[in-house]
Amino acid sequence: MCLGLKSLLAYFIIFLALFSSALYPSVAKFGDHGLQLIEGQTKGETMDSVNNENQDLNSKTSLQQFRSSLSGIVNQSLILTKSYQDEIGKWRSNQYDNSTIISITDSYIPKFVNLVNSAQNMTFPKDYKNIHDALVNSLKSETDSYKHFRNYLVSGNKTEDEISTDLLTKALQYEMIYSEFLSKPLPNSGQMNATVNYLSSVPS
C-alpha cells in the first residue's frame, strides 16, 4: 500500500517545516549614526548618492516582498500537505477504504492546483527567477504525484504508484532550491539599514 509515498510525504513535511519560517532583517532598526557629507562633497552629489541608495532600497523591498510571498505559499503548502498526509494515514490504517481516499484525493487536488496558480502569479526579481521556478515546479510535481496516486488507487497499477513516488521525490529536489534561499538572510542588510537611517535624516 504505497509505502514509498507515505515515507516521502513524512520527509516532505519535515523538510518544509525546517524552512517555512525564514528570518527577515528588520528595516525598522536604525544605527546610532547616519551617513555624513564627505569634506568637499556637494549636496547635489550627495543627493545622487541618495537616489542610488534609494533604488537599492526599493530593490531590497522588492526582494523582501518576494520572500514574504514565497514563505506564505510554502506555509500554505506545509499545512495542506500535512492535512493530506493525515488522510493517507487513515487509509493505511484501514479507517478509509479506497473509494473514500479517492474521493478525499479528488477534494485535495484542486487545492494544490490553486497553490500552483498562486505561485505562478507571483511577481519576482529577475535575478531570482530560478527560486520562483523551483517553487512552481515543486508544487506542480507534488500535485501531479497525487494525481498518479489517485490513478493507482483506481486501477491498482503499480507503475502509477512508482510515478507518484518519483514525482514527490522531484518535488523535494526542487524544494531544496527555494528552501536554501529562505534559510539565508537577505544580502547587504547592514548597508540597507544605513541607507534607511540616512534617508530619514534628509530634510524633505
Side-chain angles (χ1 to χ4, degrees):
M1 276 192 177
C2 198
L3 293 174
L5 182 67
K6 179 67 167 68
S7 300
L8 270 173
L9 272 172
Y11 186 67
F12 200 70
I13 287 290
I14 293 170
F15 198 84
L16 272 171
L18 287 175
F19 295 101
S20 61
S21 299
L23 296 177
Y24 300 94
S26 172
V27 298
K29 293 182 180 178
F30 300 103
D32 294 331
H33 60 277
L35 302 177
Q36 297 179 351
L37 280 174
I38 300 173
E39 185 175 357
Q41 185 178 29
T42 68
K43 185 175 180 180
E45 290 172 340
T46 304
M47 291 310 298
D48 287 340
S49 176
V50 170
N51 288 336
N52 290 335
E53 290 171 340
N54 197 25
Q55 290 177 357
D56 292 340
L57 182 59
N58 289 337
S59 176
K60 174 63 68 109
T61 300
S62 176
L63 181 55
Q64 283 184 316
Q65 290 171 345
F66 167 61
R67 194 158 87 164
S68 178
S69 298
L70 181 75
S71 182
I73 291 179
V74 170
N75 284 330
Q76 291 178 55
S77 175
L78 171 64
I79 293 169
L80 193 57
T81 301
K82 178 62 169 63
S83 178
Y84 184 58
Q85 181 192 26
D86 290 344
E87 299 291 3
I88 290 179
K90 293 176 183 178
W91 168 71
R92 280 184 45 77
S93 63
N94 297 318
Q95 296 179 55
Y96 293 157
D97 59 16
N98 278 13
S99 62
T100 300
I101 196 64
I102 288 170
S103 177
I104 289 172
T105 301
D106 285 342
S107 71
Y108 271 85
I109 287 176
K111 298 175 183 178
F112 283 101
V113 169
N114 286 338
L115 272 183
V116 172
N117 292 336
S118 295
Q120 287 176 324
N121 291 330
M122 284 174 57
T123 57
F124 56 90
K126 63 180 181 179
D127 292 340
Y128 290 83
K129 184 179 185 300
N130 65 314
I131 305 298
H132 173 260
D133 289 350
L135 174 67
V136 172
N137 289 330
S138 179
L139 291 172
K140 278 184 175 180
S141 296
E142 184 181 3
T143 304
D144 289 342
S145 171
Y146 302 146
K147 291 177 180 178
H148 284 278
F149 176 56
R150 183 194 185 282
N151 292 343
Y152 164 69
L153 291 169
V154 171
S155 66
N157 185 343
K158 290 192 177 296
T159 299
E160 290 289 343
D161 183 22
E162 292 170 1
I163 293 172
S164 174
T165 301
D166 288 345
L167 283 167
L168 200 59
T169 300
K170 184 180 292 186
L172 182 59
Q173 291 169 345
Y174 282 121
E175 183 184 330
M176 290 179 181
I177 297 173
Y178 66 76
S179 293
E180 182 180 1
F181 166 70
L182 286 176
S183 70
K184 295 179 178 179
L186 291 176
N188 301 323
S189 58
Q191 178 182 355
M192 176 184 154
N193 287 337
T195 301
V196 172
N197 184 36
Y198 177 65
L199 290 176
S200 68
S201 67
V202 176
S204 58

